[in-house]
Amino acid sequence: MRRPAFISLAAAAVAAALVTSCSSPGTTASGGDGAKEVDVALITSTSGPLASYGEQYLQGFEAGLDHATDGTGEVDGIKIKVQKYDDAGDPAKGVSLAKKSAGQGVKIIAGTAASGVATQIAPVAAQNKVLYISGPAATDAVTAANEYTFRSGRQTFQDVATAQQILKKAEGGDAKDKKVVVLAQDNAFGQANVAAVESVLGKDGTTVTSVLAPPSATDLTPTATKVKAAKPDMVFVAWAGDTAQSMWTTLDQQGVLDASTVVTGLDIRASYPVFGKARDKITLLAHYVPGATDTPEAQAVEKYFEKKGWKTDLFTPDGFNAAQMVVQAVREAGADGDTDAMVKALEGFTFSGIKGENTVRASDHALIQPMFQAEFKGDMPSVAFTVDAQGVAPVEKKIG
């Protein structure tokens, strides 16, 4: 899409708010005109294997801030200034950036696409009494991590529960005496998926095993061979990053897609061609499908992205939600940035988002949200059906 030759004043205001400040960071600094300002540190991957996820998140946040502040970048006269940092998917770097931000007085940290980073930033938030709103990182461990940690995206349990709902709809949900193999990478995201599949599907006599590949592996033939040799009834694939195309090609070449029912999540736009022949051989669960809903927020993000020449993608809602949550926290806590007030403002917060209605569960900070089954019609996916938010709600946990 050709980029427009102009930008609206509203978009310009938000773009200005997203520029990294050159002044001393802090939660309630005063601008040159005496206005109050709240600094928000966005820590996510803009390099490394999850760079595309981070970029989608940042674009969604920008559009969400525009929408939630009516294009002003302000709430109740308080300017929201965003400072962006690249964690490169490295937990140590993410923790360092979080500690640095907290040490500079920043009271709101948001972001990260990597589960391993999110689980390490969460304790930093608690130690420093900083509000932390995690991004696309899906590990269940973020939910109920501590009273200061929230999430703006879905979690692994919701992915697996969606798969369960899809199977129930298609086959009556009878997984008794079946054999399920989880194919994933050997990292926090993959391990979380194994645990979630075991907790959701590993019941009633169902046997759940896993085949975990090194995240850096490029030759995935040995991995595919192990999966096929296990002779599973179902393969649950949880895969992230740039090796997805190689993974799907290898599974198809090794006959895995023809030998078992394969369930996986719809990935980012760039991966759509990756599925190739697999489109007709797999069942797709989806965190988000572009164009899935027609909420005011969905309309707003499409309009904003059209101006920018962007396209909505899998993790656009995560960034958009995060911006809405930041605005809610600032609105209720005011310019003083009292973290406990921010926490109280978000607990039980129900709001309309790109995907539909979201609710921050007060008891453990899980984000209750609808999910989808997707199917391809031509080169683009569409919603086959919407899975009710309560139907895939994670098991309630105790904070801490």
Side-chain angles (χ1 to χ4, degrees):
M1 181 180 297
R2 185 171 62 87
R3 182 183 296 275
F6 64 93
I7 184 169
S8 69
L9 292 176
V14 174
L18 286 168
V19 174
T20 301
S21 171
C22 294
S23 63
S24 298
T27 301
T28 57
S30 295
D33 56 1
K36 292 291 186 179
E37 298 175 342
V38 172
D39 286 310
V40 179
L42 291 189
I43 301 174
T44 193
S45 297
T46 54
S47 66
L50 301 181
S52 60
Y53 296 176
E55 186 63 27
Q56 293 164 31
Y57 170 85
L58 291 174
Q59 291 175 351
F61 190 97
E62 183 175 326
L65 187 60
D66 176 83
H67 177 71
T69 63
D70 295 323
T72 66
E74 299 182 2
V75 54
D76 295 338
I78 305 167
K79 293 182 180 180
I80 297 176
K81 293 171 56 181
V82 176
Q83 302 176 76
K84 295 178 283 187
Y85 301 99
D86 176 23
D87 62 32
D90 179 1
K93 188 172 183 180
V95 167
S96 177
L97 291 169
K99 287 182 176 179
K100 177 182 177 181
S101 298
Q104 292 173 333
V106 173
K107 289 295 185 181
I108 303 176
I109 296 174
T112 199
S115 292
V117 178
T119 55
Q120 295 301 309
I121 291 181
V124 175
Q127 292 160 9
N128 293 275
K129 293 188 176 181
V130 172
L131 179 66
Y132 176 44
I133 304 172
S134 179
T139 177
D140 292 317
V142 169
T143 296
N146 55 65
E147 62 181 309
Y148 298 100
T149 297
F150 293 78
R151 66 191 321 145
S152 63
R154 99 298 188 201
Q155 63 187 79
T156 299
F157 184 99
Q158 288 161 313
D159 284 342
V160 180
T162 300
Q164 183 185 49
Q165 293 294 323
I166 290 172
L167 290 173
K168 282 183 177 180
K169 181 175 182 293
E171 304 173 12
D174 182 13
K176 188 175 182 179
D177 299 325
K178 299 295 184 179
K179 188 173 185 179
V180 177
V181 170
V182 182
L183 171 59
Q185 292 145 307
D186 194 4
N187 54 23
F189 173 69
Q191 292 158 8
N193 271 274
V194 174
V197 173
E198 289 176 342
S199 68
V200 178
L201 298 179
K203 301 175 181 179
D204 301 325
T206 298
T207 300
V208 178
T209 58
S210 63
V211 174
L212 300 178
S216 60
T218 54
D219 179 8
L220 297 171
T221 299
T223 300
T225 300
K226 289 180 182 177
V227 173
K228 188 175 182 180
K231 297 182 180 180
D233 297 291
M234 186 180 80
V235 181
F236 184 94
V237 181
W239 205 271
D242 298 335
T243 56
Q245 182 169 6
S246 174
M247 183 271 298
W248 285 113
T249 299
T250 305
L251 287 183
D252 200 16
Q253 289 174 342
Q254 297 301 313
V256 175
L257 302 183
D258 296 313
S260 306
T261 297
V262 179
V263 180
T264 194
L266 180 70
D267 204 349
I268 61 177
R269 280 180 182 263
S271 75
Y272 293 171
V274 168
F275 288 109
K277 298 177 182 179
R279 289 181 182 178
D280 299 324
K281 300 179 180 181
I282 59 178
T283 299
L284 289 168
L285 62 91
H287 163 46
Y288 172 63
V289 182
T293 71
D294 194 35
T295 65
E297 291 70 28
Q299 295 176 33
V301 76
E302 291 292 349
K303 184 176 180 180
Y304 191 89
F305 273 39
E306 184 177 0
K307 291 177 182 177
K308 288 285 189 175
W310 299 339
K311 292 183 179 180
T312 55
D313 215 324
L314 187 64
F315 297 115
T316 303
D318 301 46
F320 200 99
N321 289 345
Q324 291 178 283
M325 294 170 72
V326 165
V327 169
Q328 169 69 2
V330 173
R331 177 185 292 116
E332 296 300 319
D336 292 336
D338 180 76
T339 311
D340 290 333
M342 292 182 183
V343 169
K344 185 176 180 180
L346 291 181
E347 289 183 335
F349 179 41
T350 295
F351 59 103
S352 176
I354 296 174
K355 294 173 58 177
E357 184 176 274
N358 302 298
T359 298
V360 179
R361 193 162 61 191
S363 59
D364 61 3
H365 302 174
L367 187 63
I368 310 304
Q369 60 194 286
M371 299 285 283
F372 308 95
Q373 180 183 355
E375 61 185 7
F376 276 95
K377 293 184 177 180
D379 293 331
M380 288 295 295
S382 61
V383 174
F385 78 93
T386 300
V387 183
D388 180 72
Q390 291 299 327
V392 294
V395 175
E396 201 163 349
K397 298 169 64 176
K398 183 177 179 180
I399 290 179

